[in-house]
Amino acid sequence: MRIGSIGGRAWLVTADGQGVDIAEASDGRFAPDPQAVYDIWDELRIWSAEFPVDRLVHVDPARFDLPVPRPRQVFAIGANYRAHAAEAAVAPPEQPVIFTKFPSCLTGPNDAVSIRHERVDWEVELVVVMGRKAQNVPSTAAWDHVAGLAVGQDISERSIQRLGPMPQFSMAKSLPGFGPIGPLIVTPDEFADPDDLELGCAVNGVTMQSSRTSDFIFSVSELVEYISHLVPIYPGDLIFTGTPEGVGATRKPPIFLKPGDILTTWVEGIGTLVNPITEEQAA
């Protein structure tokens, strides 16, 4: 199953690019709010197997907007790819390194990202969207609590990140627009192996990151287990699972995003984000 949002309304989308407005196709059984679908995920899954296919229409991918607009919690994982830990010259962590992204940073798969700093970096990420409350969940049952997977960008301002004696991860990665996700939420059963997906990003058509999630230090199952033993994870919550090697800050010389750039981000089997980088205008 694939869920998207168009005009702030939840859509069910097929693999061949057709879709239906869920509220309309269900004759009001489900609310149009895309965030609400995760609270009734099991019921929606049952309905999706029998929805009226005669209502399907072609969907323009450029119309997709933010599919999870109001998560309670947004977790993010640092140094979760072996090759990225190596390029950052840090030892592979013994347990997940967790920080948060503020939900206010989230934006859609086709939205412009306005910047006003000079050290803004890209970080392609696989994003996990929860479909059931997870608390003290063992790794063997973790995927049962996942609604689906999305493409994400953990855009980061490296100067803010390094201010002061301690890293400022959450602030540096939560400026407005610094969390594009989408274009769809795709259920795990749509993948041959959801633990081994190709992902990458490009700036102005030049590939900057290219890897596979099989390079994770901590798998999706292990992340859900670890976080859920610390705090409850609720339906609609997000987990940004970390970025692979190829970020701009570690290049020699470093490369950073600038107004006029086009940031393109993809994950195998899910789709592509296309986010123009613009200059933030003074208020």
Side-chain angles (χ1 to χ4, degrees):
M1 185 169 72
R2 297 164 183 263
I3 299 294
S5 175
I6 298 176
R9 296 177 64 90
W11 278 62
L12 180 67
V13 182
T14 65
D16 62 357
Q18 299 185 84
V20 291
D21 181 299
I22 291 175
E24 293 180 357
S26 68
D27 296 323
R29 176 178 172 184
F30 300 107
D33 179 8
Q35 189 69 44
V37 302
Y38 304 102
D39 289 321
I40 43 85
W41 189 251
D42 290 333
E43 185 180 354
L44 183 66
R45 286 296 306 268
I46 294 171
W47 175 82
S48 71
E50 56 189 30
F51 75 94
V53 294
D54 60 325
R55 297 194 187 184
L56 285 170
V57 297
H58 173 73
V59 177
D60 179 359
R63 297 179 62 199
F64 288 129
D65 51 37
L66 182 58
V68 190
R70 299 182 312 282
R72 294 178 180 89
Q73 304 175 109
V74 181
F75 303 93
I77 311 300
N80 196 33
Y81 283 76
R82 294 173 182 86
H84 178 52
E87 75 171 353
V90 299
E94 296 182 1
Q95 63 279 321
V97 176
I98 302 175
F99 58 94
T100 62
K101 287 176 73 73
F102 307 148
S104 59
C105 81
L106 299 177
T107 195
N110 300 295
D111 292 340
V113 177
S114 297
I115 64 174
R116 56 185 169 91
H117 300 88
E118 296 182 353
R119 294 176 62 83
V120 179
D121 207 345
W122 54 82
E123 292 194 5
V124 56
E125 308 225 359
L126 179 72
V127 176
V128 174
V129 184
M130 301 302 291
R132 295 176 178 168
K133 181 180 177 181
Q135 189 166 15
N136 297 319
V137 172
S139 61
T140 53
W143 277 110
D144 294 337
H145 293 73
V146 172
L149 303 174
V151 186
Q153 264 288 345
D154 179 22
I155 298 176
S156 307
E157 207 299 311
R158 300 304 188 189
S159 297
I160 296 174
Q161 183 176 327
R162 293 177 172 84
L163 282 176
M166 302 290 287
Q168 301 279 350
F169 287 117
S170 293
M171 184 58 71
K173 295 164 173 284
S174 294
L175 300 183
F178 275 30
I181 62 170
L184 300 170
I185 310 303
V186 181
T187 54
D189 61 335
E190 295 276 339
F191 303 96
D193 182 357
D195 286 308
D196 182 21
L197 301 176
E198 181 183 2
L199 77 170
C201 77
V203 178
N204 302 326
V206 178
T207 298
M208 297 297 182
Q209 292 181 282
S210 180
S211 186
R212 303 191 71 89
T213 60
S214 53
D215 192 44
F216 275 162
I217 296 171
F218 302 101
S219 68
V220 168
S221 297
E222 291 169 321
L223 292 175
V224 171
E225 177 182 63
Y226 185 82
I227 297 171
S228 75
H229 278 72
L230 297 173
V231 296
I233 319 176
Y234 297 101
D237 282 356
L238 307 179
I239 304 173
F240 281 70
T241 57
T243 198
E245 74 279 12
V247 298
T250 60
R251 294 172 179 267
K252 302 185 186 304
I255 303 173
F256 297 109
L257 294 168
K258 61 186 184 303
D261 287 343
I262 302 295
L263 179 61
T264 307
T265 312
W266 61 88
V267 176
E268 171 189 358
I270 302 175
T272 302
L273 314 178
V274 181
N275 298 107
I277 307 300
T278 62
E279 184 173 3
E280 183 178 307
Q281 300 300 309

